[in-house]
């Protein structure tokens, strides 16, 4: 690495040889050239069908975080499925307010072998149809016989779906990026419009089938909707559970259709609210609404972009990043299992469409930080903060302990809704959630957020875990009364371990280490000492002789399993990291080799996305690339929805079912971002895990720890150019792509620099 030369224009250049100094004029012209690469998706990234989607889960997805739609069908009819994030049947689970609902009782029953009682109180309530996310119905547009389907497509850059017909009819459809309104413009002949409510009041033909939730919506027992209509409009109001209701209003004029969904969470008359929104949209007109919608999406795509030589992986990154932009918006509830695309098939959504905190919500927000989408990612943290009082109450009443824990399966209000007891009532759920508060601080360096959100949340989690782990084992180390590792042994009694699992231990250790770190950052010396003391009382990780991480002491991974919970210390927590040296590398390599050896028979699609992240942390670009390509080609439907099972039937998993959930979709872009840049250790490493075959690759404004925005170009297998912008100022430690040395570069707030190698 050569010396660092600072030029008056504010750029910093790393000079490889002195002859570059003589070419400074040419170099400066290059530095002042336009943006490194185009931010917008390419046409090749878009969705395009020449055969119609005939099922809801292959539809074109549209959304604004609060309201969502699915566009499908062949024009007879063209279907627009409707959804809104706060549509919930949030009935309380009666068992969870009874006298037996205590951790001590649960532990005692487990030790007494009272499995039937445990199932009755803790597991079985989840088999009821409610609580659950609910859909909003659909709009059906019936075109005449002469309108034969030609193609349908979704333009990712503008978030506009279209459908064209052989007679020249064209339908353009979008859900506005910032207004709770959807719009469609039909050119060449307006269709018949039918507004259809979900079959909440129909006959029950299919009883509840448990966790996947395939039962009829009619099991919820709602009254029939109140439908009204007139010239140019149609509407209905649906009464739900416990006074909740929502309304859908659709209006059309001059070849333009608009619709909106409003709920009683917004006011006493949701129908009037939805009507006013539709009338305002029609008055504004389709072109003006479309223009403001496109402006938002242009800004979204400007936040980050990637270019890699694998077209399958690159396209999946854009498809999944698009869905994230359509599903995550500050001011709306956070992403559930299906976000704003609840099933439109007359059935309850898979796993009730709820908040699963043993993997699903956490993975859905992995791409937020390095992907430079912090603002929209705050929808998750805002909701966790808003529901904190509910979590405090649950912690006091169920665990009878101070501090903060969170139910693993939750409704929109953050209340426990049950399921497999070993995980729904886990002691470390809140610790994994706290990591997202920590990551927002590290990537934003917002000290107000650190002081008022990140540390208070982490502090309260630490208080709980300090109390929960108060008992010591025979070696004098803190332990758990009961410990589990999602979802090892399902909900059998053996899913609880008497010794602490590596899953729980990793979250324990992470909590106290980071609580001490943040306390030190805030100058809270007593808190720092307290958390470091507790950290010192925790045991070491359970490992085999070759370094492989076990499930629990003496308990190796027994077989292929979808959830890599025992590897939490490697990723996402980073407690065991490649840069820590040979011992850590030995553990990482041995643990990933065990995954390979046990095989993917019991993996889901999200397992491949997670493997991509793990392999990237192991600096194994070839494995990461292969995992992401398998995810995209075998576990995603043609609209890119993650369907859990292997849709290719090529043996990538013995699961071949297709319940749609989103966490695999959102862990995928996080993995590619990990391949392109890593900064979790405090050092910025460029292209740390790209395959040797990726000679040319680039990324634009990925976000690094320390609130640095980084763009980089790799050509011919070497990094040639790096642009860095510092939001908060401070020192960046950059691993030089020229020789691997640490470059320490000081920035002022707002300063930008360009480096060439």
């Amino acid at each position: 690495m050569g010396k660092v030369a600072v030029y008056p224009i504010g750029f910093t250049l790393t000079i490889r040889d002195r002859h570059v100094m003589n070419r400074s004029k040419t170099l400066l012209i290059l530095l002042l050239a336009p943006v490194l690469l185009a931010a917008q998706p390419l046409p090749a990234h878009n969705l395009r069908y020449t055969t119609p989607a005939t099922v809801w889960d292959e539809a074109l997805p549209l959304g604004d975080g609060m309201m969502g739609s699915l566009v499908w069908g062949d024009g007879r009819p063209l279907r627009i499925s409707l959804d809104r994030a706060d549509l919930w049947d949030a009935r309380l689970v009666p068992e969870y307010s009874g006298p037996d609902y205590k951790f001590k009782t649960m532990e005692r029953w487990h030790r007494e072998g009272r499995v039937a009682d445990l199932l009755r109180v803790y597991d079985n309530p989840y088999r009821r149809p409610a609580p659950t996310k609910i859909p909003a119905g659909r709009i059906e547009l019936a075109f005449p016989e002469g309108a034969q389907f030609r193609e349908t497509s979704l333009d990712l850059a503008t978030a506009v779906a279209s459908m064209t017909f052989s007679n020249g009819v064209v339908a353009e459809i979008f859900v506005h990026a910032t207004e709770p309104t959807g719009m469609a413009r039909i050119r060449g002949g307006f269709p018949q419009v039918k507004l259809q409510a979900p079959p909440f009041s129909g006959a029950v033909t299919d009883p509840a089938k448990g966790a996947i939730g395939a039962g009829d919506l009619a099991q919820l027992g709602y009254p029939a909707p109140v439908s009204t209509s007139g010239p140019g409009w149609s509407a209905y109001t649906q009464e739900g559970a416990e006074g909740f209701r929502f309304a859908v209003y659709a209006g059309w004029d001059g070849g333009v259709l608009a619709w909106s969904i409003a709920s009683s969470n917004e006011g006493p008359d949701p129908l009037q609210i939805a009507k006013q929104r539709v009338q305002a949209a029609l008055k504004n007109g389709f072109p003006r609404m479309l223009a403001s919608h496109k402006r938002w999406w242009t800004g979204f795509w400007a936040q980050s972009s990637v270019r890699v030589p694998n077209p399958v992986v690159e396209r999946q990154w854009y498809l999944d990043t698009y869905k994230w932009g359509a599903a995550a918006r500050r001011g709306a509830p956070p992403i559930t299992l299906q976000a704003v695309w609840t099933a439109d098939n007359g059935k309850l959504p898979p796993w009730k469409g709820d908040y699963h905190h043993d993997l699903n919500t956490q993975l859905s927000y992995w791409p937020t930080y390095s992907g430079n989408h912090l603002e929209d990612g705050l929808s998750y943290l805002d909701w966790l903060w808003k529901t904190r009082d509910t979590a405090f109450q649950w912690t006091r009443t169920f665990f009878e302990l101070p501090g903060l824990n969170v139910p693993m399966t939750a409704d929109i209000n953050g209340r426990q809704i049950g399921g497999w007891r070993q995980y729904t009532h886990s002691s470390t759920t809140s610790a994994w959630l706290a990591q997202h508060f920590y990551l927002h601080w590290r990537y934003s360096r917002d000290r107000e957020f650190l002081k008022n959100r990140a540390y208070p949340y982490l502090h309260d989690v630490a208080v709980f875990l300090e109390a929960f782990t108060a008992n010591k084992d025979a070696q004098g180390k803190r332990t758990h009364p009961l410990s589990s590792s999602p979802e090892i042994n399902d909900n059998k009694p053996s899913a609880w371990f008497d010794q602490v699992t590596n899953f729980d231990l990793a979250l324990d250790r992470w909590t106290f280490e980071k609580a001490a770190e943040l306390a030190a950052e805030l100058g809270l010396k007593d808190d720092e000492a307290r958390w470091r003391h507790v950290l010192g009382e925790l045991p070491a990780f359970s490992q085999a002789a070759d370094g492989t991480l076990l499930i629990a002491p003496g308990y190796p991974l027994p077989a292929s399993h979808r959830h890599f919970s025992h590897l939490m210390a490697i990723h996402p927590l980073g407690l065991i990291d490649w840069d820590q040296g040979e011992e850590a590398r030995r553990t990482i390599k041995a643990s990933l080799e065990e995954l390979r050896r046990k095989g993917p028979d019991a993996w889901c699609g999200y397992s491949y996305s997670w493997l991509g992240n793990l392999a990237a942390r192991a600096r194994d670009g070839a494995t990461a690339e292969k995992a992401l390509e398998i995810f995209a080609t075998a576990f995603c439907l043609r609209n890119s929805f993650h369907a859990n099972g292997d849709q290719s039937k090529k043996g990538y998993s013995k699961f071949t079912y297709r319940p749609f959930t989103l966490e695999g979709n959102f862990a995928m872009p996080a993995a590619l971002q990990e391949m392109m840049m890593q900064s979790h250790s405090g050092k910025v490493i460029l292209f740390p895990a790209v395959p040797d075959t990726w000679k040319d690759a680039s990324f634009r404004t990925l976000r690094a720890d320390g609130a640095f925005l980084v763009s980089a170009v790799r050509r011919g297998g070497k990094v040639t150019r790096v642009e860095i912008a510092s939001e908060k100022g401070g020192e960046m430690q950059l691993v030089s792509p020229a020789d691997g040395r640490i470059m320490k570069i000081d920035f002022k707030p707002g300063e930008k620099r360009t480096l060439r190698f």
Side-chain angles (χ1 to χ4, degrees), residues 126-153:
Y126 196 73
R127 299 178 67 86
R128 299 189 193 115
T132 183
K133 177 75 178 67
I134 57 175
R138 73 168 72 139
I139 297 169
E140 293 187 345
L141 306 179
F143 291 88
E145 288 292 327
Q148 295 294 322
F149 174 90
R150 177 174 288 171
E151 73 171 37
T152 187
S153 61

Side-chain angles (χ1 to χ4, degrees), residues 629-712:
E629 188 167 333
I630 290 172
F631 171 78
T633 57
F635 291 86
C636 292
L637 304 175
R638 63 172 172 161
N639 64 351
S640 77
F641 278 176
H642 163 234
N644 275 265
D646 177 7
Q647 305 304 301
S648 73
K649 312 298 191 293
K650 292 182 178 179
Y652 296 121
S653 172
K654 289 187 176 179
F655 291 126
T656 57
Y657 61 170
R658 59 182 281 165
F660 154 52
T661 59
L662 280 163
E663 73 293 321
N665 284 125
F666 298 145
M668 184 277 164
L672 183 54
Q673 290 157 204
E674 288 277 342
M675 295 169 70
M676 304 292 269
M677 183 181 75
Q678 293 179 21
S679 64
H680 59 276
S681 65
K683 302 187 295 288
V684 176
I685 310 171
L686 305 172
F687 304 102
V690 297
D692 292 339
T693 54
W694 289 13
K695 301 300 183 184
D696 296 344
S698 56
F699 61 84
R700 180 179 179 275
T701 54
L702 293 185
R703 181 175 286 268
D705 183 359
F708 297 103
L709 297 178
V710 183
S711 304

Side-chain angles (χ1 to χ4, degrees), residues 93-331:
V93 178
E95 287 86 348
Y96 299 162
S97 58
D100 291 332
Y101 188 64
K102 301 287 183 185
F103 177 83
K104 291 178 180 177
T105 302
M106 185 175 73
E107 182 188 7
R108 176 167 56 83
W109 284 357
H110 169 66
R111 301 201 185 284
E112 293 172 353
R114 295 171 60 175
V115 175
D117 285 331
L118 289 166
L119 292 172
R120 172 178 56 83
V121 174
Y122 298 100
D123 294 35
N124 292 345
Y126 196 73
R127 299 178 67 86
R128 299 189 193 115
T132 183
K133 177 75 178 67
I134 57 175
R138 73 168 72 139
I139 297 169
E140 293 187 345
L141 306 179
F143 291 88
E145 288 292 327
Q148 295 294 322
F149 174 90
R150 177 174 288 171
E151 73 171 37
T152 187
S153 61
L154 173 61
D155 182 71
L156 301 187
T158 61
V160 175
S162 63
M163 189 175 290
T164 61
F165 300 88
S166 59
N167 63 352
V169 172
V170 177
E172 301 167 90
I173 307 161
F174 68 93
V175 170
H176 198 280
T178 58
E179 301 293 334
T181 308
M183 299 194 80
R185 177 170 61 186
I186 294 92
R187 298 176 176 177
F190 199 77
Q192 292 183 339
V193 180
K194 179 183 178 181
L195 184 60
Q196 181 174 312
F200 293 123
S201 59
V204 175
T205 62
D206 188 6
K209 291 184 178 178
I212 294 180
D216 293 329
L217 287 171
Q219 293 176 97
L220 297 171
Y222 300 164
V226 177
S227 299
T228 53
S229 63
W233 66 275
S234 183
Y236 66 82
T237 300
Q238 176 67 60
E239 191 76 23
E242 299 179 336
F244 177 78
R245 62 191 185 282
F246 69 91
V248 179
Y249 187 96
W252 52 94
D253 182 44
V256 175
L257 166 72
W259 70 90
S260 187
I261 310 164
S263 79
S264 53
N265 294 326
E266 300 176 276
D269 190 350
L271 180 60
Q272 186 63 23
I273 294 170
K275 177 181 178 179
Q276 289 173 352
R277 289 171 177 163
V278 168
Q279 290 177 336
L282 291 173
K283 183 178 180 180
N284 273 335
F286 189 92
R288 184 179 297 177
M289 293 289 284
L290 179 61
S292 60
H293 165 78
K294 286 182 175 180
R295 282 195 297 272
W296 188 92
W297 278 98
T298 297
F300 173 82
W301 288 115
Q303 289 175 274
S304 61
S305 58
V306 300
R307 293 286 186 263
V308 299
N310 184 320
V312 172
V313 171
E314 179 178 296
R315 181 173 186 256
Q316 191 68 36
W317 185 90
Y318 278 94
L319 287 165
D320 289 343
T321 300
Y322 162 79
K323 289 193 294 295
W324 196 91
R329 204 64 51 83
R330 194 172 192 188

Side-chain angles (χ1 to χ4, degrees), residues 428 478 480 483-484 500-511 538-542 569 573 575:
T428 51
R478 288 175 174 265
H480 286 225
S483 187
S484 64
V500 65
T501 63
N502 273 338
F503 172 80
D504 281 338
L505 179 59
L507 288 164
D508 290 342
R509 297 192 67 87
W510 180 91
T511 295
L538 293 171
F541 291 113
S542 302
L573 300 180
L575 299 176

Side-chain angles (χ1 to χ4, degrees), residues 330-630:
R330 194 172 192 188
I335 297 166
T336 55
L337 291 177
Q338 293 87 29
V340 290
W341 302 301
T342 302
D344 181 13
N345 59 356
K347 306 291 185 180
L348 297 171
W351 293 284
K352 302 186 174 189
D354 63 20
Y355 292 102
H356 262 52
H357 298 315
D358 74 334
L359 175 148
N360 305 79
T361 59
Q362 293 94 328
L363 269 64
S364 290
Y365 286 90
W366 276 358
T368 307
Y369 308 102
S370 62
N372 193 28
H373 296 295
L374 296 187
E375 176 66 21
D376 293 324
L378 282 169
S379 60
Y380 187 37
L381 304 183
D382 289 345
W383 179 77
L384 290 172
W385 190 264
K386 178 182 177 181
T387 58
R388 202 169 57 131
D389 287 344
T390 300
F392 277 134
Q393 181 181 1
W394 181 70
T395 305
R396 287 193 299 269
T397 56
F398 177 71
F399 287 99
E400 300 177 285
L401 292 173
L404 177 69
N405 197 17
V406 176
M408 191 226 86
T409 48
D411 66 10
I412 193 171
N413 300 310
R415 299 182 302 204
Q416 174 69 265
I417 65 176
W420 289 353
R421 59 198 177 277
Q422 294 90 343
Y423 322 112
T424 60
H425 293 74
S426 166
S427 59
T428 51
T429 300
S430 60
W432 198 349
L433 299 175
Q435 190 198 20
H436 286 273
F437 284 88
Y438 174 81
L439 291 172
H440 184 90
W441 147 246
R442 294 289 302 190
Y443 282 79
S444 72
R445 293 306 167 107
D446 181 342
R447 294 197 67 82
E448 288 300 311
F449 182 86
L450 167 65
K451 179 180 178 182
N452 298 320
R453 289 289 187 270
Y455 183 64
Y457 199 92
L458 191 49
H459 170 276
D460 292 332
V461 174
V463 168
F464 169 73
L465 287 176
E466 179 186 38
F468 189 79
T469 62
N471 292 334
K472 305 288 181 67
D473 62 18
Q475 288 71 44
K477 296 295 185 180
R478 288 175 174 265
T479 190
H480 286 225
L482 294 173
S483 187
S484 64
S485 188
E487 294 164 336
I488 299 296
N489 297 331
D490 296 342
N491 66 334
K492 300 173 186 174
S494 59
W496 263 323
F497 294 81
D498 289 332
Q499 293 179 285
V500 65
T501 63
N502 273 338
F503 172 80
D504 281 338
L505 179 59
L507 288 164
D508 290 342
R509 297 192 67 87
W510 180 91
T511 295
F512 294 113
E513 178 182 304
K514 301 310 179 186
E517 176 189 315
L518 298 193
E521 182 71 29
L522 291 169
L524 304 173
K525 294 182 179 180
D526 290 345
D527 279 12
E528 180 189 4
R530 175 184 178 182
W531 305 135
R532 293 201 185 283
H533 176 76
V534 177
L535 178 62
E537 294 183 329
L538 293 171
F541 291 113
S542 302
Q543 296 178 253
D546 65 353
T548 302
L549 288 168
L550 306 176
I551 300 295
Y555 195 99
L557 179 68
S560 176
H561 197 277
R562 60 195 172 274
H563 198 309
F564 306 149
S565 53
H566 62 302
L567 304 185
M568 289 282 292
I570 300 172
H571 183 276
L573 300 180
L575 299 176
I576 300 173
D577 188 71
W578 192 262
D579 284 339
Q580 292 170 350
E582 285 305 315
E583 184 177 349
R585 294 179 185 185
R586 177 172 172 263
T587 292
I588 293 168
K589 288 190 286 187
S591 298
L592 294 186
E593 170 60 22
E594 183 185 48
L595 290 184
R596 187 202 63 78
R597 192 168 61 251
K598 295 292 171 66
D601 282 357
W603 290 10
C604 291
Y606 69 68
S607 309
Y608 282 92
S609 293
W610 195 349
L611 177 61
N613 285 273
L614 283 161
R617 290 285 176 95
R619 311 289 170 85
D620 184 352
T623 296
E625 178 189 29
K626 183 178 180 180
L628 298 186
E629 188 167 333
I630 290 172

